Amino acid sequence: MMDAKVVVGRSEQQKRSVQWYVTPEGEPRGFIQSHALEELWFHTGTACNLACPFCLEGSKPGDDRLQLMRFDDVKPYIDEALTLGVKQFSFTGGEPFINKDMVRILDYALTHRPCLVLTNATEPLIKRLHQIETLRKCTHRLHFRVSLDHFEASQHDLGRGEGMFAMALQGLRALYDMGFTLSVANQVFPDLSAKAVSQRFAEVFRTVGLPADLSRIEFPEFYPPGTDVAAPQITKSCMVNYQTDLTRREFMCAFSRMVVKISGQCKVYACTLVDDDAEYALGGTLTESLQVPVSMKHHRCYSCFQYGASCSEMR
């Protein structure tokens, strides 16, 4: 594992704090060196129709911590990514279908590569179903991942609002009827066995006419932006002794990037989980960003290290 200070130049080092390179105990940080750009994410903006207290992005109605991404913002990055061999475009929010340009963006992206969209599948999506249906004719496949926090309506609605469970299932079923491929995202249930959780979700899916074995992605607790989380430090020795070259290549920051818009400027961040830390802005272009080794200093990096957490469905 190469030392980050050897890999990056002096000007690059000057952009980042000491904490980027060393732990509070003075040990060298673990780093990930990108090997390719296989997946490019776009953060469509932190505006959302819901205000979930646990949201890892802190999204809510009218929020502009990350601004809405317009078609003219996205297109140059799609075009650059194609020259770098990208295999998929993925979109997250906020709620992507708050964004009035979302369908146009997808139409362009799907001309070139398959796409993944993360959505709560409620009112913003349902209102655009007639537009979304036209995307079935695009060259490449469009996949939707829908957030379903719990298999019980009351528990899901506790964080998202009354009636949101039923509406999310309505959105899921509409997308399924149109022929799009689907998956569901939920947090890990620490007090239930994986088998029990799968059975309960399968019952819900069957009730609304969805496949009982609909794919699910489970995530650990990521905490809202800016939360002070006491997580173990990932050192250089951790990445050498407990990871291999092959497993390091499985970290999202090794094969993906995310474009966000802040204060009117688009920036390329290391991955989907670190946009609340400005040090993870790796450049203005994808090419530039791929040259910067990624520090494992963010508390969410430990979720990737310990649990293999990943927002991607390419692995």
Side-chain angles (χ1 to χ4, degrees):
M1 194 67 177
M2 298 182 70
D3 186 271
K5 292 188 178 181
V6 175
V7 178
V8 298
R10 181 178 301 275
S11 62
E12 189 58 57
Q13 291 182 44
Q14 291 172 344
K15 295 177 183 178
R16 293 178 172 82
S17 69
V18 172
Q19 288 73 30
W20 181 264
Y21 300 100
V22 298
T23 71
E25 293 75 28
E27 296 184 71
R29 290 273 187 201
F31 277 78
I32 291 291
Q33 179 69 56
S34 301
H35 64 85
L37 181 70
E38 297 180 6
E39 183 174 23
L40 178 58
W41 288 78
F42 291 95
H43 200 300
T44 61
T46 46
C48 187
N49 60 310
L50 306 180
C52 308
F54 49 78
C55 179
L56 69 90
E57 293 289 11
S59 300
K60 57 185 180 296
D63 191 86
D64 64 353
R65 180 178 72 84
L66 302 180
Q67 294 172 287
L68 292 173
M69 190 81 67
R70 300 305 187 193
F71 178 80
D72 289 342
D73 299 319
V74 170
K75 185 179 181 298
Y77 288 101
I78 290 178
D79 294 342
E80 184 188 5
L82 292 170
T83 70
L84 297 171
V86 72
K87 297 178 181 178
Q88 178 171 294
F89 297 114
S90 299
F91 301 85
T92 186
E95 169 49 48
F97 290 100
I98 290 281
N99 191 329
K100 67 179 183 181
D101 286 3
M102 192 63 216
V103 174
R104 184 185 178 195
I105 289 169
L106 285 172
D107 184 68
Y108 183 72
L110 287 163
T111 302
H112 303 284
R113 295 291 187 271
C115 291
L116 164 68
V117 180
L118 278 54
T119 175
N120 59 40
T122 60
E123 186 177 19
L125 177 138
I126 290 171
K127 283 185 173 180
R128 295 186 185 274
L129 284 173
H130 64 289
Q131 297 174 306
I132 293 168
E133 187 171 18
T134 66
L135 300 175
R136 292 189 304 169
K137 301 175 183 178
C138 290
T139 306
H140 293 280
R141 177 182 66 92
L142 176 56
H143 179 88
F144 291 90
R145 183 198 299 165
V146 176
S147 299
L148 209 59
D149 301 327
H150 207 282
F151 44 75
E152 293 181 0
S154 60
Q155 293 300 308
H156 177 90
D157 290 354
L158 196 63
R160 294 184 180 263
E162 186 176 355
M164 291 301 104
F165 184 78
M167 192 176 293
L169 291 176
Q170 177 188 346
L172 263 168
R173 179 56 196 262
L175 294 171
Y176 177 73
D177 288 345
M178 288 179 182
F180 294 111
T181 59
L182 304 170
S183 56
V184 164
N186 62 270
Q187 283 191 3
V188 172
F189 293 82
D191 300 326
L192 293 174
S193 70
K195 181 178 180 180
V197 173
S198 293
Q199 288 175 341
R200 296 299 301 275
F201 272 106
E203 292 169 6
V204 172
F205 298 152
R206 279 194 293 263
T207 300
V208 295
L210 293 169
D213 61 351
L214 193 66
S215 177
R216 282 189 306 108
I217 314 297
E218 291 194 330
F219 293 104
E221 173 62 76
F222 286 134
Y223 301 99
T227 303
D228 186 12
V229 178
Q233 302 295 319
I234 304 171
T235 65
K236 177 182 177 181
S237 62
C238 290
M239 297 304 293
V240 172
N241 296 333
Y242 301 105
Q243 301 286 334
T244 66
D245 181 62
L246 181 62
T247 61
R248 287 191 292 268
R249 291 166 72 92
E250 297 298 308
F251 282 73
M252 273 192 68
C253 53
F255 65 86
S256 72
R257 288 291 183 265
M258 183 171 75
V259 182
V260 308
K261 187 175 181 180
I262 302 174
S263 301
Q265 182 180 2
C266 289
K267 300 179 181 181
V268 183
Y269 272 70
C271 86
T272 58
L273 299 175
V274 294
D275 59 61
D276 60 340
D277 184 338
E279 289 195 304
Y280 284 93
L282 305 183
T285 69
L286 299 170
T287 303
E288 180 184 2
S289 76
L290 293 172
Q291 306 310 308
V292 184
V294 180
S295 172
M296 302 293 286
K297 78 181 180 79
H298 199 289
H299 69 85
R300 291 174 184 159
C301 297
Y302 185 72
S303 297
C304 300
F305 176 84
Q306 180 67 18
Y307 306 110
S310 175
C311 296
S312 177
E313 293 192 34
M314 294 187 67
R315 291 292 193 269

